[in-house]
Amino acid sequence: MILNKEYWENRYQNNDTGWDTGTITPPLKEYIDQIKDKTAKILIPGAGNGHEYDYLIEKGFKNTYVIDIANSPIEMLKSKHKDLHNQIVLDDFFNLTNAYDLIIEQTFFCALEPKLREKYATKMHSLLKPKGKIIGLLFDFPLTTEGPPFGGNTDEYLQLFSSLFTIKKLEKAYNSIKPRQGRELFFIFEKK
Ligand SMILES: C[S@@+](CC[C@H](N)C(=O)[O-])C[C@H]1O[C@@H](n2cnc3c(N)ncnc32)[C@H](O)[C@@H]1O
């Protein structure tokens, strides 16, 4: 199975989107609610149907961008946010070249083939401004050949991110949605 544009587009077209929680998840809402700088340049990669994007825009974070490789969710978001088309991007995350203050991760890392993990860490580092942060959720269950979602654990994440980021937080989320309780870590990594 190749996890390319066609794979993801098919999942959307077949409504096979078990990851989609239908609304912003509590750990991300809580983090967003304490951000004071409404001008922060924010990116949500692999945003899917973009519930976190909707929330950020509603709360006045107008400098927020999404990117996804699948056409359907991007078209859906564009139809909702007609004045923000240049911030809703259909492309491969690995082609991005801008610099952001904050990047929000949720079920994007685990959707990528595990061999891309180092490339993901390096790309995230290059997409952040000095002292910029990547925050969000990473799954905490064993990595096997089965996925997506592909698992991982604290040790693996520390190994992957510690040389490029200061690990401000990496701990079991206390406010996960029910099906993810005990299975995800909330993290804050700051660009070194
Ligand atoms: C499991 S879904 C998660 C969607 C969203 N983050 C959520 O929580 O509902 C993974 C998303 O990543 C997108 N994706 C996969 N590979 C990508 C890539 N290389 N660049 C951009 N988006 C990608 C898929 O199209 C899909 O929307």
Side-chain angles (χ1 to χ4, degrees), residues 81-140:
H81 301 282
K82 294 205 172 9
D83 51 336
L84 296 171
H85 280 197
N86 65 338
Q87 291 170 224
I88 301 170
V89 179
L90 175 66
D91 201 354
D92 189 324
F93 159 77
F94 292 103
N95 292 336
L96 268 179
T97 52
N98 295 329
Y100 302 88
D101 296 300
L102 176 69
I103 303 180
I104 297 179
E105 160 63 50
Q106 178 173 258
T107 63
F108 173 54
F109 176 87
C110 69
L112 297 171
E113 291 177 50
K115 66 176 186 213
L116 293 174
R117 288 184 171 185
E118 272 181 32
K119 200 174 161 195
Y120 170 105
T122 316
K123 189 71 194 176
M124 285 294 181
H125 186 264
S126 78
L127 288 174
L128 285 168
K129 295 182 189 172
K131 296 274 174 197
K133 289 188 188 115
I134 166 168
I135 71 101
L137 297 153
L138 292 168
F139 277 130
D140 187 17

Side-chain angles (χ1 to χ4, degrees), residues 3 8-9 12 19-21 44-52 67-70 73 91-94 106-108 110-112 180:
L3 301 179
W8 290 106
E9 180 57 24
Y12 283 100
W19 60 80
D20 190 327
T21 58
I44 309 175
N49 285 321
H51 306 297
E52 286 68 31
I67 184 164
D68 203 287
I69 206 168
D91 201 354
D92 189 324
F93 159 77
F94 292 103
Q106 178 173 258
T107 63
F108 173 54
C110 69
L112 297 171
R180 295 181 189 166

